[in-house]
Amino acid sequence: MRTATQTLEEITWLTSNIQSNYPELYQYLEENPLTLPPQPNAPVDRYEDYLESLKSLLRNHITTHKMQKHILPDLAGTLEYSADRFQSKILSDQDGQKIILFAFAKGQGLKSHTTPKDALLIMLEGECSFEFPEEERAQTLKTGQIIQIPAHVPHAVHALTNFKMALIK
């Protein structure tokens, strides 16, 4: 069984490690290596429990940050509005599939056009009027809504507010 001094040394080493390598986590600790004086009469179990809680905190932090590397960025935040013209950015162009991000300022739009293959429009922010001119049909799309666009069917879009969309085709 370890002594209180040995456990305190490991706590000191672990808090120093967190301070050096995980400063974003260190700020939440109640102690630092300088505030852990050895207390020879303190129960070893108390230090052991605390050491285990520190280890658990660090493991969870590392796991969470590894998982966050696989989380996609905020798509709407990757493209800004422009009063001059709509903005677009190709996010992916692989294996015959393209993903394009668009940002339209209020009043901007695209005239009637077609796409050579089916497409999927995902509203990320704002509102637009989506129109099928040949069918004399329009609908308002809002944040979070999705519409399927058939190949070779004329369609148009008009920004009712600033809006952003992702197009998958």
Side-chain angles (χ1 to χ4, degrees):
M1 184 162 174
R2 296 173 358 157
T3 66
T5 302
Q6 290 171 323
T7 304
L8 275 171
E9 286 173 358
E10 189 170 350
I11 290 171
T12 301
W13 176 85
L14 188 55
T15 55
S16 294
N17 181 23
I18 291 171
Q19 181 182 24
S20 299
N21 299 312
Y22 305 95
E24 68 282 6
L25 180 61
Y26 182 73
Q27 64 185 337
Y28 298 109
L29 300 183
E30 295 176 11
E31 78 295 315
N32 63 53
L34 300 176
T35 62
L36 287 169
Q39 298 175 0
N41 298 331
V44 176
D45 290 348
R46 183 175 146 234
Y47 291 134
E48 288 291 338
D49 290 345
Y50 183 67
L51 178 59
E52 287 309 310
S53 72
L54 277 177
K55 289 178 179 179
S56 177
L57 179 70
L58 183 56
R59 273 193 307 271
N60 290 338
H61 180 74
I62 291 169
T63 301
T64 300
H65 282 276
K66 282 182 184 175
M67 288 173 43
Q68 287 177 347
K69 290 179 183 177
H70 301 290
I71 296 174
L72 296 176
D74 169 28
L75 292 180
T78 62
L79 197 59
E80 296 299 319
Y81 295 106
S82 169
D84 298 331
R85 62 184 294 287
F86 75 87
Q87 301 297 302
S88 66
K89 178 179 181 179
I90 296 173
L91 299 176
S92 175
D93 189 357
Q94 298 179 15
D95 303 324
Q97 183 179 58
K98 197 179 261 189
I99 303 172
I100 309 166
L101 181 65
F102 290 91
F104 293 85
K106 182 178 179 179
Q108 295 174 343
L110 291 174
K111 295 179 182 179
S112 184
H113 63 285
T114 63
T115 181
K117 57 185 182 178
D118 290 349
L120 197 63
L121 181 154
I122 304 168
M123 291 292 293
L124 301 174
E125 188 174 282
E127 294 183 13
C128 76
S129 174
F130 191 88
E131 303 153 5
F132 291 103
E134 288 185 354
E135 298 174 15
E136 297 181 3
R137 182 170 58 104
Q139 76 182 80
T140 298
L141 298 178
K142 298 179 181 184
T143 302
Q145 292 185 307
I146 300 172
I147 189 167
Q148 187 172 356
I149 307 166
H152 311 293
V153 173
H155 56 278
V157 66
H158 178 77
L160 301 175
T161 66
N162 287 349
F163 91 94
K164 294 180 182 177
M165 68 179 199
L167 186 69
I168 303 170
K169 60 181 187 172

